[in-house]
Amino acid sequence: MQTDVLAEPAGETRVAATPERASQPLLIGVPKETAPLEKRVATVPEVVEKLVKLGFRVAVQSGAGDAANFADDTYRAAGAEVLPTAAEVWSRSDMVFKVRAPSPDEVRLLREGATLISFIWPAQNPELMQQLAARRATVLAIDSLPRQLSRAQKMDALTSMAGISGYRAVIEAANAFGRFFNGQITAAGKIPPAKVFIAGAGVAGLAAIGTAANLGAIVRANDTRAEVADQVVSLGGEFVKVDYEEEGSGGGGYAKVMSEGFQQAQREMYAKQAREVDIIITTALIPGKPAPKLITADMVKSMKPGSVIVDMAAEQGGNCELTVPNEAVVRHGVTIIGYTDLASRLAKQSSTLYSTNLLRLTEELCKTKDGVIDVNMEDDAIRGLTVIKEGGITWPPPPPKIPAAAPQAKPAAMPPAPKGHGHGSSEPMSAKSLAIVFGVGALLFLLVGLYAPASFLSHFTVFVLACFVGYMVVWNVTPSLHTPLMSVTNAISSIIAIGALIQVAPPLTGGDAVNRPNALILGLAVFALALTAVNMFGGFAVTRRMLAMFRK
């Protein structure tokens, strides 16, 4: 194996960062990924510009972004320095951005006391942790982010990469599948829609559900966490429940290892789905443990010839017993895809999202925007990410501090309600008072009927009916479609508009002189129409603008 490319430059001595060096803008280095099949790069030109604005200097290895279609010239234009070898990037950088965990050769090139931000997987790589600690490095493992913290979502590279992988898994399945995903009726015959089963409805599974449903397939999904059922349905899938009651939520948004009884019921359900569906996509992973075996060889045998299995857990051993990592094999007439580089197959997109996650993390580390980082171990998000601090292994982190619920203040003692039924009284009205109110109301209606003109009675009747209909119809619109305030204002606007239109254009059954309103009434009616029009059309304009905020 050649190591001369990664050799240290002659005459260079590695030293720990001095206070003088730490007070100056740090140099962020981005070496080219050396892992097989890896095409991603840890930062992109667009993000380089923002890192420079934060006060950092950026150095990128020549050719680091070629596989993701980011040329060296684009990095130079963004303000980065392009270095010819990996050795120069590693040895000169105060902070290194990477995608994959570093190899032993790369660890030896890391300058002592430097900071590394990358996927590390500390539970699976204890030897790597010891090697990095020996370099007195500070290591932030992007895979160790406490995802249950809402403020950490902008740094969540696992979610970003899982979403891309789930999308790509469906594309790979469609490429290997023998017909359309959506059903079609053609002159040559009827084509049934493909049936897709997703095992695991995490981020990757939900991305796969949405993609397969958009392609027209019949999508089913299962997860040990019952709370994701609504998310599956919202994306166009059908949630298939295991006939066994057990809570499957684990820490940090992951699933937990289930009991043997649940696993047996789950295997029976998977066996049934395998016989019925055309495509299975498995996404089940538990941090720090081998991937659970969900699809047995007998299930593969029971599938229809030409079916496809995409095993997204292939890198951790696979969810299917017959998966071969990094290969697509055919067993019993079923194509089993075990690619471990699904995110890398969309290198430009995944590099952009990953580098944005690292940018948000860097902003948290450098809040002063002076090119100097502060790894604050009092910050729950940063503490969870930091697996090694200045050579000391700090993994696993303590559980994040969840703020205790503020004690509810005792409600102030309410003063005794005054007797009677004035404003603010919460006691129900007595039968005697209710009879008095109705009696007074009836008397007022009687007086109106005896002394008011006939035209007033007709208008008053229309007004009462309009108020009643407006209240019963508009007010009862589903709140998700109409806020209560809009319901009330639209009801009032409709009443005003109808009344004003009647005044502006009255019926002429009794002659023009008798029914035409005077100038004051006509002016008020026109003014009312104008205000109502502003309210109605303004409401529609505001509603359209609000809806546009949620459209893609």
Side-chain angles (χ1 to χ4, degrees):
M1 181 176 61
Q2 292 184 345
T3 59
D4 54 331
V5 176
L6 297 176
E8 293 185 28
E12 180 167 339
T13 303
R14 300 174 191 268
V15 294
T18 63
E20 292 80 7
R21 182 182 180 103
S23 63
Q24 297 179 3
L26 300 182
L27 176 64
I28 298 176
V30 183
K32 184 176 181 179
E33 298 295 323
T34 59
L37 305 176
E38 185 56 68
K39 298 178 182 178
R40 291 172 290 178
V41 61
T43 198
V44 300
E46 180 184 353
V47 171
V48 168
E49 296 178 357
K50 298 175 181 178
L51 291 172
V52 172
K53 290 180 180 179
L54 285 176
F56 295 97
R57 296 173 295 132
V58 182
V60 181
Q61 182 184 349
S62 178
D66 287 350
N69 297 316
F70 296 110
D72 290 347
D73 289 341
T74 60
Y75 284 104
R76 291 191 183 96
E81 180 184 2
V82 178
L83 300 178
T85 64
E88 289 186 75
V89 174
W90 282 97
S91 59
R92 288 178 52 185
S93 300
D94 301 293
M95 184 160 61
V96 176
F97 285 178
K98 264 188 63 59
V99 179
R100 295 274 185 170
S103 66
D105 288 337
E106 290 173 321
V107 172
R108 284 192 289 270
L109 289 176
L110 180 65
R111 185 175 60 79
E112 287 191 5
T115 300
L116 172 65
I117 302 178
S118 173
F119 281 102
I120 298 295
W121 305 108
Q124 291 95 322
N125 297 303
E127 293 183 5
L128 174 61
M129 293 284 286
Q130 294 295 334
Q131 293 169 359
L132 289 168
R135 303 300 296 172
R136 290 193 293 159
T138 296
V139 180
L140 281 75
I142 201 70
D143 49 88
S144 297
L145 181 75
R147 304 168 76 185
Q148 64 268 40
L149 299 178
S150 58
R151 57 179 291 267
Q153 293 177 2
K154 61 184 178 182
M155 303 177 277
D156 191 359
L158 280 173
T159 295
S160 300
M161 299 302 101
I164 293 175
S165 297
Y167 172 87
R168 184 69 190 196
V170 177
I171 302 303
E172 295 292 342
N175 180 58
F177 191 49
R179 66 171 195 265
F180 301 140
F181 264 43
N182 63 323
Q184 295 187 17
I185 298 177
T186 69
K190 180 180 179 181
I191 303 172
K195 295 180 181 178
V196 180
F197 178 71
I198 314 291
V203 176
L206 292 174
I209 292 168
T211 305
N214 289 337
L215 289 174
I218 297 173
V219 184
R220 304 169 185 170
N222 167 261
D223 197 280
T224 58
R225 298 159 293 187
E227 64 267 20
V228 304
D230 291 339
Q231 300 177 44
V232 171
V233 174
S234 68
L235 290 171
E238 174 192 352
F239 187 78
V240 182
K241 188 177 179 181
V242 177
D243 190 17
Y244 194 98
E245 294 298 330
E246 183 177 347
E247 174 56 41
S249 296
Y254 294 96
K256 70 174 185 180
V257 179
M258 306 300 288
S259 67
E260 182 57 37
F262 182 93
Q263 293 181 34
Q264 178 61 33
Q266 187 182 54
R267 283 191 290 269
E268 293 175 0
M269 184 269 291
Y270 282 163
K272 179 181 177 182
Q273 294 298 322
R275 293 190 296 268
E276 296 179 0
V277 302
D278 304 297
I279 296 168
I280 295 178
I281 299 175
T282 65
T283 70
L285 277 175
I286 298 174
K289 298 181 181 293
K293 298 299 181 185
L294 304 179
I295 308 299
T296 65
D298 289 338
M299 294 181 194
V300 175
K301 289 181 183 179
S302 70
M303 296 181 72
K304 293 173 280 189
S307 298
V308 179
I309 296 175
V310 181
D311 193 340
M312 295 183 64
E315 193 167 5
Q316 301 299 327
N319 296 134
C320 177
E321 290 183 348
L322 304 180
T323 296
V324 178
N326 293 319
E327 292 185 22
V329 298
V330 178
R331 299 288 186 268
H332 309 294
V334 178
T335 301
I336 305 173
I337 299 174
Y339 299 150
T340 61
D341 61 336
L342 291 172
S344 187
R345 288 171 180 253
L346 292 170
K348 187 164 188 174
Q349 182 70 77
S350 55
S351 297
T352 301
L353 294 182
Y354 181 71
S355 61
T356 302
N357 293 137
L358 296 193
L359 170 66
R360 301 308 175 206
L361 171 57
T362 308
E363 290 174 342
E364 291 294 316
L365 296 172
C366 181
K367 295 183 178 180
T368 54
K369 299 184 180 180
D370 57 357
V372 178
I373 64 171
D374 175 25
V375 182
N376 181 13
M377 300 296 275
E378 298 299 321
D379 185 318
D380 281 344
I382 302 302
R383 175 63 187 88
L385 284 167
T386 307
V387 296
I388 300 176
K389 177 71 179 296
E390 297 175 356
I393 295 179
T394 60
W395 187 88
K401 301 177 191 137
I402 300 175
Q408 295 183 353
K410 290 185 179 181
M414 296 294 293
K419 294 183 179 181
H421 302 281
H423 177 70
S425 174
S426 59
E427 296 180 5
M429 188 178 292
S430 65
K432 181 179 179 182
S433 300
L434 188 63
I436 294 174
V437 171
F438 272 98
V440 172
L443 180 61
L444 290 175
F445 275 107
L446 177 62
L447 294 174
V448 169
L450 291 175
Y451 298 103
S455 60
F456 174 82
L457 285 177
S458 63
H459 291 310
F460 185 73
T461 303
V462 172
F463 174 74
V464 172
L465 290 176
C467 290
F468 179 77
V469 173
Y471 179 84
M472 297 303 296
V473 175
V474 184
W475 182 264
N476 289 322
V477 173
T478 304
S480 60
L481 303 178
H482 240 309
T483 65
L485 179 61
M486 291 181 65
S487 299
V488 174
T489 56
N490 284 347
I492 296 174
S493 298
S494 301
I495 295 168
I496 296 173
I498 294 172
L501 286 173
I502 293 175
Q503 295 299 327
V504 171
L508 302 178
T509 55
D512 292 357
V514 175
N515 293 282
R516 185 173 300 280
N518 59 36
L520 178 60
I521 296 178
L522 183 62
L524 290 175
V526 172
F527 183 66
L529 275 176
L531 291 180
T532 305
V534 170
N535 181 51
M536 287 184 170
F537 288 102
F540 282 117
V542 171
T543 302
R544 288 175 61 87
R545 187 170 180 178
M546 292 176 63
L547 291 176
M549 296 170 61
F550 298 95
R551 293 194 181 103
K552 294 181 180 180

